[in-house]
Amino acid sequence: MKSIDTIVAPATPYGYSGLAIVRLSGENAMATVLQLTNRNEGSFLPRTATFSSIFTPEKYPFDDVVITFFPGPKSYTGEDIVEISSHGSPAVVEEIISSACRYGARLAEPGEFTRRAFLNGKMDLTQAESVAAVIHSHSIESSRLSHRILHGALSEKFSGIKTDLINIVSKIEFELDISEDETGAIMSQELQTQLAASQRTVDLLLGTYKQGKLLLGGAVAVITGKPNVGKSTLLNALSNSARAITGPLPGTTRDTIDVTLLMNGVPLRLVDTAGLREAGNETEKEGVLRAHKYLESADIILSVVDSEEKTFFVHPSIPVLKIFNKIDLFPKMVPDSEILYISATEEKGIDSLKNNIKETLGISASLSPEALLISNRQEYILSACAQSLKRAQSLTSGKGDLPLEIIALELRTALNAIDQILGKTTADDILDNIFGTLCVGK
């Protein structure tokens, strides 16, 4: 479907720069540019950069630009697209957009270019989601993953699952509509084998969500413990920086301090919190309150002690690494296999601690295979697909004739889930949420 209106937006961030790009899309994109440049039809050849002056509606020239025309359907949106490369002055960009709107274009909404690409069949919904992932990549590994998904690696996996399910449903419907034989043990065994194979494929893909979440969203490690156990010194040692102020007096950290580092391409946000104790004043009380809030949102907790009491923080659902700091002050200590012994000031045991963090979070050098699930939406819907497959499998294990109608119903529910992931049957409010997270101009 092609939109009847033409949209315009900056495709580069606001600010002063050498160049800026303004993008138009729609059936009147080229007509708008011809008015902006005082040029005649045919002045701009497809996919050819053309130098031109650009004018206000009052015919005053205000910049020299380079214009590139991408006629639909072979364009990002599937519609005619024109990109204007101007000097990077916010005033120039604003004038181009304002003039285009005076000629009939309108300002694009966030993500509207990509939404049009989706609606025009240029990409499916998993590819559209990867556009935002590419833009917000924190590492080259996450960028590579998003790039593969944008080029269809994840879509191929979903399409493969869909093809297998269609084949199974077709066989069942043949038995229901045409075959006059009773559905016995042979049919039951065939269905069990085929459904089990599809289940394994779905479960393997579901198992990639944790990896995809790590690569794209990163993880949060919160450092906790009593005042003056060396939490800030540990943050500095892990990040190889002097991000946190350290000192001999307890309570140096009143607010949370964080720093992000990469571990095998995974962004790890280290958060240093206020020491956990009975607060002496309102400022410290607020710091302790924030520390508890961060602890509840952590992916991993680094519990630090520096005395032989070894009273570690515990959490019912978040993994906790037990860390004994300042081992240089306890030369005769008997080690405990459940505790990591370090000296943050002398940076002893830091490499071992980093390896334990990686192992606990599941971070490895081979974290980015061909395609991973990258959104809560994908994981949630594919889980529903997996449940439908499990129910279908359970119906094949009984004696007597198979309840083929019910099995077919479960498989059609699973198929509908795959279509939702790809965007074949997706509600408008879900589309609004997905595309609304993208930049204006993308």
Side-chain angles (χ1 to χ4, degrees), residues 183-367:
T183 56
I186 295 178
M187 179 64 174
S188 177
Q189 185 60 47
E190 287 180 358
L191 273 179
Q192 287 178 8
T193 300
Q194 293 170 336
L195 290 173
S198 293
Q199 184 77 60
R200 283 193 299 272
T201 303
V202 170
D203 288 344
L204 283 172
L205 194 52
L206 273 173
T208 69
Y209 176 61
K210 181 181 178 181
Q211 295 174 307
K213 183 181 177 183
L214 275 175
L215 271 176
L216 296 181
V220 176
V222 176
I223 306 172
T224 189
K226 293 181 179 180
N228 210 35
V229 296
K231 300 185 299 297
S232 298
T233 307
L234 176 57
L235 178 138
N236 290 342
L238 284 169
S239 62
N240 194 28
S241 70
R243 177 67 178 84
I245 299 173
T246 61
L249 298 178
T252 303
T253 303
R254 299 298 182 91
D255 199 355
T256 55
I257 299 172
D258 64 89
V259 62
T260 300
L261 62 151
L262 290 177
M263 285 189 171
N264 294 125
V266 172
L268 179 68
R269 185 184 175 201
L270 288 171
V271 182
D272 175 23
T273 60
L276 299 182
R277 67 174 179 182
E278 192 68 32
N281 54 58
E282 288 301 315
T283 302
E284 189 175 4
K285 183 178 179 180
E286 178 62 25
V288 173
L289 180 62
R290 292 186 184 187
H292 282 290
K293 288 182 178 179
Y294 270 97
L295 286 167
E296 291 305 314
S297 62
D299 295 293
I300 185 172
I301 295 170
L302 310 184
S303 178
V304 185
V305 301
D306 67 345
S307 72
E308 294 185 283
E309 294 177 10
K310 298 178 183 177
T311 305
F312 292 99
F313 182 86
V314 294
H315 197 281
S317 59
I318 299 172
V320 178
L321 290 185
K322 300 176 181 179
I323 302 167
F324 191 103
N325 189 23
K326 306 180 183 178
I327 57 171
D328 47 304
L329 304 180
F330 297 88
K332 296 182 180 180
M333 179 178 293
V334 178
D336 184 329
S337 60
E338 293 185 357
I339 299 174
L340 298 167
Y341 294 87
I342 70 167
S343 172
T345 55
E346 298 182 1
E347 298 194 0
K348 292 180 179 178
I350 297 300
D351 287 341
S352 176
L353 173 55
K354 286 182 177 180
N355 288 333
N356 274 270
I357 293 172
K358 292 177 187 178
E359 183 178 346
T360 304
L361 291 174
I363 298 172
S364 67
S366 58
L367 193 59

Side-chain angles (χ1 to χ4, degrees), residues 3-199:
S3 303
I4 58 174
D5 55 352
T6 296
I7 55 176
V8 61
T12 46
Y14 179 86
Y16 294 91
S17 60
L19 295 173
I21 295 175
V22 174
R23 172 185 283 176
L24 298 96
S25 180
E27 62 180 19
N28 291 321
M30 178 48 68
T32 301
V33 170
L34 291 177
Q35 289 179 291
L36 285 169
T37 58
N38 285 339
R39 294 284 195 103
N40 297 320
E41 189 173 349
S43 298
F44 301 101
L45 300 177
R47 291 174 176 77
T48 301
T50 304
F51 177 83
S52 176
S53 293
I54 197 164
F55 300 81
T56 66
E58 292 77 26
K59 306 309 177 185
Y60 295 113
F62 64 91
D63 197 16
D64 292 328
V65 300
V66 174
I67 293 174
T68 311
F69 174 40
F70 302 93
K74 294 183 179 181
S75 68
Y76 181 75
T77 61
E79 305 169 341
D80 285 353
I81 281 186
V82 182
E83 292 186 351
I84 303 172
S85 180
S86 69
H87 289 94
S89 163
V92 169
V93 172
E94 184 178 344
E95 182 59 39
I96 293 173
I97 293 171
S98 175
S99 297
C101 290
R102 290 173 68 181
Y103 288 129
R106 67 167 175 81
L107 190 63
E109 297 175 0
E112 189 168 2
F113 287 87
T114 301
R115 183 169 188 149
R116 290 190 176 197
F118 166 71
L119 294 174
N120 290 329
K122 302 298 291 187
M123 60 177 69
D124 60 40
L125 207 50
T126 62
Q127 292 170 299
E129 285 174 312
S130 73
V131 173
V134 169
I135 293 171
H136 298 292
S137 293
H138 294 284
S139 68
I140 190 62
E141 287 84 359
S142 61
S143 179
R144 286 167 53 196
L145 169 63
S146 302
H147 182 265
R148 286 195 294 272
I149 296 172
L150 180 58
H151 285 265
L154 186 57
S155 304
E156 288 178 7
K157 289 185 177 292
F158 287 126
S159 295
I161 294 170
K162 182 176 180 178
T163 298
D164 291 340
L165 293 179
I166 289 174
N167 289 337
I168 299 172
V169 171
S170 298
K171 189 175 184 65
I172 291 174
E173 292 187 346
F174 173 82
E175 293 293 334
L176 288 171
D177 297 338
I178 299 175
S179 177
E180 297 180 357
D181 299 330
E182 292 186 359
T183 56
I186 295 178
M187 179 64 174
S188 177
Q189 185 60 47
E190 287 180 358
L191 273 179
Q192 287 178 8
T193 300
Q194 293 170 336
L195 290 173
S198 293
Q199 184 77 60

